[in-house]
């Protein structure tokens, strides 16, 4: 029932992308089918009138008109279908990326999430166009089949047996083909992801350097090659099965065609009507092609049901809900205990603290003590914990995350290096130079980023990274300057910094901590650092083994 519901929802989504355009395309397809049948009828009359010059010229003229109409309708339909496939692809792609964006962060702890994403990605990029094409082909083939059946039944009702047996044979064939194809993909999803990962290790600039200096390239190359060879063996078995099915189907189909020919010869009583024979075979050919197209379209949709289910399984992930907030008035951790998915050891144990506006909280501790986990929980990335994170006295799990995140700014230790322009790196939400430049000027005394930007050829329009033309690569410290600037220029009430100066030189680091009072003025602020900071205006806690062992 669930699969059926998903299929109906997907069909509805496809049709509603542009319902007027969809209906118009179907009308053109219907007209093309009618014109195609008419061409066979006119050809019959041309043969009948070979001895009547006037009638012959009339039917030849009609035949030319029909062929011109067929050309017009064929190419019009192709153009309309292409446009609709692209519109569908764009719309579904947007929904897919939106859902990836909305997916609960904790889901990315599980490999199954990446398996689903991999299959949905394959579906959208390689199968979606075929599926939309199949929907139109289904309509086209049904129209042609109904017209052909009407004509053939009027000729000989006994042929109804062939009309019904051939579609079932075709559907069975295509169903088996698509079944083994999906089983192949399902079985090898993980291997495909492993190949993608190992390939990225050898092709991405920020990953390949470590392998080069340690002479580890060959090891990764061997691993990637082994997975590729395994996939080759699996694919060879797949092709072998497909060939066997193809031969079986063609032999069965040939058997029915031979039966039909013998039946026709037997019924003709040695008296052949050339015009009728041409018409009869033309209609049977149309019926045969339409039956094959119908079967292929039905099975094309059936074979994509697992992919459609994968697509909708992404929509089962938690959706944003809860109370909207426009500002943050208080922040409190109350008896928080948290264990990461797939881990048996708690990362935090009974952690409690209360943030004071304008008074930064400095968190220290050894690696793995739970410092970064506090930032992740307070960002709303995980919800499966005991205790409460209270924002304005409301449990964070009951607050709409989108409105909450409008009021926070976070700099993670493993911050993103966006291979985009400088302007986009500073603000993905507001790319207005008139807004960004004053913001940068206001904090450049802290980060020194304005001098860095002005040293670049295209300033704020400079492309960064090596992936795209015209890009320049930055040092780790320069990337962190941009990331720190990005966090500071956002007008947020809660600032969360995880090792914000780990890659910066001493001069910029001193400027940052010297101006910390101004940065956190009238704001709630948490800073994770290993540096010793002497400032009586700051709250400080030390973590060890997920517990607060010192608070002052």
């Amino acid at each position: 029932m669930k699969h059926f519901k998903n299929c109906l929802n997907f069909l509805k989504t496809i049709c509603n992308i542009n319902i007027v355009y969809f209906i118009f395309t179907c009308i053109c397809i219907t007209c093309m089918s009618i014109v195609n049948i008419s061409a066979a009828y006119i050809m019959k009359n041309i043969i009948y009138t070979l001895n009547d010059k006037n009638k012959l010229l009339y039917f030849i003229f009609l035949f030319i008109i029909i062929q011109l109409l067929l050309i017009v309708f064929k190419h019009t339909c192709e153009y309309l279908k292409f446009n609709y496939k692209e519109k569908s692809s764009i719309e579904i792609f947007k929904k897919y990326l939106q859902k990836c964006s909305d997916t609960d962060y904790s889901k990315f702890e599980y490999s199954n999430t990446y398996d689903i994403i991999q299959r949905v990605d394959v579906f959208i990029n390689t199968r979606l166009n075929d599926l939309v094409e199949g929907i139109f082909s289904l309509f086209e083939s049904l129209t042609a089949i109904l017209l052909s059946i009407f004509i053939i039944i009027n000729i000989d009702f006994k042929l109804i047996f062939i009309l019904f047996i051939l579609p079932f044979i075709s559907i069975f064939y295509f169903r088996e083909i698509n079944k083994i194809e999906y089983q192949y993909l399902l079985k090898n999803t993980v291997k495909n992801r492993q190949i993608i990962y190992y390939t990225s290790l050898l092709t991405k600039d920020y990953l390949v350097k470590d392998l080069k200096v340690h002479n580890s390239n060959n090891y990764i190359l061997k691993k990637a090659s082994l997975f590729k060879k395994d996939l080759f063996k699996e694919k060879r078995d797949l092709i072998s099965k497909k060939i066997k099915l193809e031969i079986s189907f063609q032999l069965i189909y040939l058997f029915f065609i031979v039966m039909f020919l013998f039946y026709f010869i037997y019924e003709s009583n040695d008296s052949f009507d050339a015009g009728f024979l041409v018409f009869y075979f033309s209609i049977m050919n149309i019926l045969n092609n339409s039956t094959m197209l119908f079967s292929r379209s039905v099975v094309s949709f059936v074979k994509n049901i697992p992919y459609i289910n994968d697509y909708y399984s992404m929509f089962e992930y938690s959706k944003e809900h809860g109370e909207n907030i426009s500002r943050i008035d208080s922040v409190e951790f109350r008896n928080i205990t948290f264990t990461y998915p797939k881990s048996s050891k708690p990362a935090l144990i009974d952690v409690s603290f209360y943030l004071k506006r304008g008074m930064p909280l400095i968190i220290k501790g050894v690696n793995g003590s739970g410092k970064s986990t506090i930032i992740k929980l307070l960002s709303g990335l995980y919800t499966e914990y005991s205790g409460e994170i209270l924002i304005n006295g409301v449990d964070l799990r009951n607050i709409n995350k989108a409105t909450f995140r409008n009021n926070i700014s976070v700099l993670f230790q493993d911050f993103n290096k966006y291979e985009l322009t400088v302007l986009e790196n500073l603000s993905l939400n507001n790319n207005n130079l008139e807004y960004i430049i004053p913001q940068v000027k206001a904090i450049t005394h802290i980060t020194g980023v304005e001098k860095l930007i002005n040293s670049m050829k295209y300033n704020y329009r400079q492309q960064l990274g090596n992936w795209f033309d015209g890009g320049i690569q930055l040092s780790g410290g320069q990337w962190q300057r941009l990331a720190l600037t990005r966090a500071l220029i956002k007008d947020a009430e809660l600032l969360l910094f995880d090792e914000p100066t780990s890659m910066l030189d001493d001069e910029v680091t001193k400027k940052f901590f010297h101006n910390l009072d101004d940065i956190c003025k009238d704001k709630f602020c948490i800073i994770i650092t290993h540096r010793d900071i002497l400032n009586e205006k700051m709250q400080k806690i030390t973590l060890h083994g997920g517990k607060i062992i010192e608070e002052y």
Side-chain angles (χ1 to χ4, degrees), residues 109-110 337-349 384 545-546:
E109 299 277 349
Y110 299 95
T337 297
F338 171 73
T339 303
Y340 281 102
K342 301 191 298 184
S343 175
S344 58
K345 183 180 179 181
L348 293 176
I349 302 172
E384 299 298 322

Side-chain angles (χ1 to χ4, degrees), residues 331-368:
V331 179
E332 180 183 2
F333 252 52
R334 183 181 292 176
N335 306 120
I336 295 295
T337 297
F338 171 73
T339 303
Y340 281 102
K342 301 191 298 184
S343 175
S344 58
K345 183 180 179 181
L348 293 176
I349 302 172
D350 197 28
V351 173
S352 298
F353 58 81
Y354 185 86
L355 291 186
K356 298 176 182 178
R357 189 183 290 275
M359 185 178 289
L361 172 64
I362 306 299
I363 303 178
K364 300 183 68 176
V366 297
N367 291 337

